[in-house]
Amino acid sequence: MISKYEGYSFKMNEKVIRTKVKFHNRYGIELIGDLYIPQNAEGKVPAIAVAGPFGAVKEQAAGLYADEMASRGFIALAFDPSFIGESGGNVRNVASPDINTEDFSAAVDFLSVQHNVDAEKIAIIGICGFGGMALNAAAMDTRIKATVTSTMYDMTRVNAKGYFDESNSADARYEMKKALNAQRTEDYKNGTYQRTGGVVHPLPADAPFFVKDYYNYYKTERGYTERSLNSNEGWNTTSSLSFINMPILQYINEIRSAVLVIHGEKAHSCYFSRDAFTNLTGDNKELLILPDTVHTDLYDKKDKIPFDKIVSFFNDNLK
């Protein structure tokens, strides 16, 4: 299988210019992004950094969001987080709750010094697992003036407790850590890292709906791209270890800037957004639950993604 649009899963808007850019995070890892600029942009423009979903790359949903936001007047940066896609960092195909949060701030670093960006009007969008990272970044980085999360996952919660917290016990975590640490030994012995295999293929007939939902995006022409972990061999198996005991949403109640939390009512993951929202404080926080919408609808279905609302939210809060 090959990607639909020469490495990308979406067609770029004719009113937008896309440029490859490089920047680095606080750990010295070089990050690669696509900068989307409105063709008619004049002066200093509000800017948005976009990342996610978890295991996806900038050529997928993040790029689609950035392209759409640029077509509506914003400068938007879709970037590959550390260790995946075109971005640097060794070893490959591993995630970190710390470093991937830092990646958002690194994107803000980059945007804040661009000649055509208003450094006082920078926002972020986090999709799926990078929705949780976005909230964590907003709790840390006071330069972020507004945050949107779309179809959010809290990756630390799901790794430590399982879906719907069904494995939330010390014994269950112990057995999981025991298996993952045994795999660490094997990886070190072999000099390679076992991969999870990405989204399951072929799709079992009895797969739960959310697995079918992922398959229909990552494993079909709709969302497939060559660099995507989820479309191909997946994360390193031991990647989840650091997420088990490092919850990332501990201080989101201290976010003073504006936050819009968006989720589909029929998404298996909706509880992540509902629960996170209960911990947000202030009258500049909004929860938008979309009827008849599943998890991956908010990856690429423009008739489902509430871009008009996102634009009005940023216009209201990037002042």
Side-chain angles (χ1 to χ4, degrees):
M1 185 182 297
I2 60 173
S3 51
K4 205 172 184 179
Y5 298 102
E6 298 181 346
Y8 292 80
S9 64
F10 62 94
K11 185 178 181 180
M12 194 171 74
N13 193 296
E14 294 178 355
K15 300 178 181 179
V16 173
I17 300 168
R18 181 169 64 203
T19 305
K20 190 84 68 181
V21 297
K22 299 179 180 180
F23 55 103
H24 63 275
N25 68 17
R26 193 164 48 93
Y27 297 104
I29 298 171
E30 184 178 71
L31 304 178
I32 307 297
D34 287 328
L35 191 64
Y36 292 80
I37 303 173
Q39 284 187 351
N40 60 353
E42 295 181 1
K44 291 186 177 292
V45 178
I48 305 163
V50 191
F54 196 78
V57 286
K58 65 185 180 301
E59 291 86 0
Q60 295 175 303
L64 181 145
Y65 273 68
D67 177 71
E68 182 68 21
M69 296 306 294
S71 76
R72 292 165 179 256
F74 298 84
I75 289 174
L77 171 65
F79 65 92
D80 286 331
S82 296
F83 309 112
I84 69 170
E86 290 188 290
S87 287
N90 286 314
V91 297
R92 306 302 298 161
N93 312 311
V94 67
S96 162
D98 175 21
I99 296 173
N100 293 149
T101 297
E102 158 64 19
D103 290 340
F104 266 115
S105 285
V108 175
D109 293 341
F110 172 81
L111 289 171
S112 67
V113 301
Q114 301 309 302
H115 70 91
N116 51 356
V117 168
D118 186 338
E120 296 302 315
K121 297 180 179 180
I122 295 177
I124 61 175
I125 298 175
I127 307 163
C128 185
F130 279 87
M133 305 295 185
L135 286 179
N136 201 32
M140 175 184 70
D141 194 331
T142 56
R143 300 171 301 171
I144 296 169
K145 297 302 192 294
T147 300
V148 168
T149 68
S150 182
T151 200
M152 186 198 80
Y153 258 61
D154 176 354
M155 295 307 302
T156 54
R157 178 178 176 181
V158 75
N159 276 288
K161 301 179 181 181
Y163 281 106
F164 310 106
D165 301 337
E166 289 179 350
S167 301
N168 186 21
S169 73
D171 287 344
R173 276 187 289 276
Y174 180 80
E175 292 303 319
M176 176 171 53
K177 288 184 283 189
K178 188 176 176 181
L180 290 172
N181 283 298
Q183 186 60 51
R184 283 186 66 137
T185 302
E186 288 301 308
D187 288 349
Y188 195 85
K189 186 188 303 180
N190 297 332
T192 60
Y193 291 84
Q194 183 188 74
R195 305 279 290 276
T196 60
V199 174
V200 62
H201 180 78
L203 184 67
D206 61 349
F209 173 77
F210 77 92
V211 175
K212 295 177 181 178
D213 190 27
Y214 285 132
Y215 186 94
N216 288 335
Y217 180 77
Y218 287 108
K219 292 291 191 176
T220 70
E221 188 185 52
R222 172 186 164 196
Y224 178 88
T225 65
E226 287 78 1
R227 294 192 184 101
S228 170
L229 277 67
N230 292 342
S231 292
N232 296 289
E233 296 304 313
W235 295 98
N236 292 351
T237 300
T238 58
S239 183
S240 57
L241 263 171
S242 60
F243 287 80
I244 296 171
N245 63 338
M246 295 184 186
I248 57 175
L249 302 185
Q250 295 303 294
Y251 293 100
I252 62 171
N253 63 312
E254 297 181 5
I255 298 174
R256 298 187 181 185
S257 57
V259 178
L260 171 62
V261 178
I262 303 169
H263 223 111
E265 180 185 32
K266 295 188 180 299
H268 68 283
S269 51
C270 191
Y271 70 100
F272 291 119
S273 286
R274 290 186 185 276
D275 288 356
F277 183 75
T278 64
N279 291 319
L280 296 173
T281 59
D283 57 10
N284 59 352
K285 311 299 190 294
E286 299 181 52
L287 174 65
L288 178 59
I289 301 297
L290 304 171
D292 299 318
T293 302
V294 299
H295 186 83
T296 68
D297 284 347
L298 297 182
Y299 285 7
D300 64 337
K301 294 188 177 180
K302 291 187 178 181
D303 60 330
K304 295 280 192 177
I305 302 169
F307 280 118
D308 289 345
K309 172 60 179 178
I310 294 171
V311 168
S312 65
F313 170 78
F314 283 144
N315 285 338
D316 288 345
N317 290 286
L318 295 177
K319 296 179 179 180

